[in-house]
Amino acid sequence: MKKRIVIKIGSNVLTRKDGKLDITRMSSLVDQVVNLHEEGNDIVLISSGAVASGKSEIKVSKNLDAMSSRQLYSSIGQAKLINRYYELFKEQGVCCGQVLTTKESFSTRLEYLTQKHCMEIMLNHKVIPIVNENDTISVTELMFTDNDELSGLIASMINADMLIILSNIDGIYDGAPSDLRSKVIPFIYPGEKNLEIFIQAGKSTFGRGGMLTKSRIAMKVAEEGIEVVIANGKTDNILNNLVHKPEETVCTRFVPNVKQTSSIKKWIAHSDGFTKGEVVVNRGAEDALFSERASSILLVGVVDIKGDFEKEDIVRIMNEDGEQLGIGCVAYNSKEAFDNIGKKDMKPLIHYDYMYLYV
């Protein structure tokens, strides 16, 4: 059966120890992607490696700050990386295209839908999108945690069936990966918590994130109804095996929630970094939100409005103890909301359809 698959390839998969591109590994992964593509699957690649690739091409002054170095490396490495992908795919008669984005480009519904439309057009014309963050213009405060975060957002945006995150280890272990007694956790089910006790918080050699980031993104995406797999990108034929021989392949699979999440809720779920203010609800409203009935946030249940926001901005939903309950898209600006706190018979401040609650 045809699937829509997002594949994220980490820096440590694509680069050698000296920081140069591992062309042999890259070629093998492209071969596997082409195979899945020719079977009729829609494939989107999220590819790291630009900064690491650029580092191998130029030496910079020790006085150059980290952000400037990243911009320089990325500008060189991105051209090198996409050219290599283009040639590898072209050799097999497959067309690919580059999509560079920034976190800020997902901050409004219009920009979000514009990017979605671009990728849908590419997929409809059998073009494989190769996505990466545009590090040359990304500001530190508005950067993705790493491409794991970006891959989760893309998977949700295009309503993928499956997100594959390729790292340099086999999955999530029940102990330190270096400990021979540790084993890969094969399945993680919806609602499972405390994975942090198994996961080391260290970052990878070339990437910005680590396994803790991967697991958090995976849990969120699986909660939205998308299967997520974390596997070793350096294992031979890994992509074909994950799709065709799942029961025989060592990896960690996040089992998707059977309850599907709407497109608008998926966008809101990944908008944590774009919130403009806070809506504080009372205990009764909090209980209603987490009851079995679908409940919106009414102004009668609001006790405080914080921050300066406009209608349709994303805000944090807080309880009176200062705990964040979720995020949502508001139907009033902050002044209107504040002036009408506690009032009845008004349209919801945050409608259920425009809200994402943390379980």
Side-chain angles (χ1 to χ4, degrees), residues 8-287:
K8 184 265 179 176
I9 307 175
S11 294
N12 277 311
V13 176
L14 288 181
T15 51
R16 305 185 319 204
K17 290 182 179 179
D18 60 4
K20 295 182 180 180
L21 280 176
D22 186 339
I23 304 303
T24 302
R25 180 65 55 196
M26 191 173 179
S27 178
S28 172
L29 289 168
V30 167
D31 288 346
Q32 295 171 64
V33 169
V34 169
N35 182 61
L36 294 174
H37 173 77
E38 291 179 342
E39 291 175 353
N41 299 295
D42 288 340
I43 307 293
V44 176
L45 280 186
I46 316 293
S47 181
S48 301
V51 173
S53 179
K55 281 182 179 179
S56 66
E57 296 296 317
I58 189 171
K59 292 183 179 180
V60 301
S61 166
K62 293 181 179 179
N63 297 325
L64 195 64
D65 64 88
M67 182 176 174
S68 298
S69 297
R70 186 174 188 82
Q71 288 177 310
L72 179 59
Y73 291 142
S74 178
S75 65
I76 299 166
Q78 191 62 48
K80 178 181 174 182
L81 188 67
I82 196 64
N83 281 335
R84 181 67 69 175
Y85 271 124
Y86 184 83
E87 293 301 327
L88 288 171
F89 278 113
K90 185 179 180 181
E91 287 173 7
Q92 302 197 52
V94 176
C95 187
C96 68
Q98 183 179 47
V99 179
L100 291 177
T101 188
T102 64
K103 190 170 186 177
E104 196 171 14
S105 299
F106 291 88
S107 61
T108 70
R109 184 68 176 160
L110 177 60
E111 290 176 291
Y112 180 87
L113 292 175
T114 299
Q115 291 185 89
K116 179 178 181 178
H117 178 72
C118 172
M119 289 191 201
E120 292 288 354
I121 290 296
M122 294 173 77
L123 292 172
N124 289 342
H125 287 79
K126 306 303 179 184
V127 176
I128 294 179
I130 300 178
V131 189
N132 199 1
E133 181 173 12
N134 192 349
D135 290 307
T136 59
I137 63 171
S138 292
V139 180
T140 303
E141 293 78 11
L142 293 175
M143 292 174 74
F144 293 103
T145 306
D146 61 8
N147 273 348
D148 297 316
E149 182 182 3
L150 175 58
S151 69
L153 218 164
I154 296 293
S156 293
M157 183 176 74
I158 67 167
N159 296 315
D161 299 296
M162 188 177 191
L163 167 60
I164 299 174
I165 298 176
L166 295 182
S167 184
N168 59 345
I169 60 174
D170 291 334
I172 296 179
Y173 286 79
D174 58 6
S178 57
D179 189 336
L180 296 177
R181 294 170 297 179
S182 299
K183 296 181 180 179
V184 172
I185 302 172
F187 295 101
I188 293 175
Y189 295 91
E192 284 196 31
K193 298 180 180 179
N194 301 321
L195 287 179
E196 287 85 351
I197 63 175
F198 298 121
I199 302 168
Q200 295 178 323
K203 296 183 179 180
S204 59
T205 307
F206 296 108
R208 291 204 300 273
M211 195 54 70
L212 193 56
T213 302
K214 288 175 176 59
S215 67
R216 288 171 177 167
I217 296 298
M219 288 290 284
K220 178 181 284 188
V221 174
E223 187 64 34
E224 296 163 11
I226 300 170
E227 179 184 15
V228 185
V229 179
I230 297 177
N232 194 330
K234 295 191 174 185
T235 299
D236 291 340
N237 210 34
I238 185 63
L239 292 175
N240 288 320
N241 288 340
L242 287 172
V243 174
H244 298 299
K245 301 177 182 177
E247 66 285 344
E248 302 173 21
T249 308
V250 178
C251 64
T252 296
R253 291 180 180 271
F254 290 76
V255 179
N257 194 332
V258 293
K259 183 180 179 182
Q260 293 293 311
T261 303
S262 70
S263 176
I264 188 76
K265 280 182 177 284
K266 286 179 180 179
W267 168 61
I268 292 171
H270 292 269
S271 297
D272 312 59
F274 312 125
T275 55
K276 300 292 179 65
E278 295 182 359
V279 170
V280 184
V281 299
N282 62 27
R283 183 66 65 188
E286 179 181 354
D287 291 341

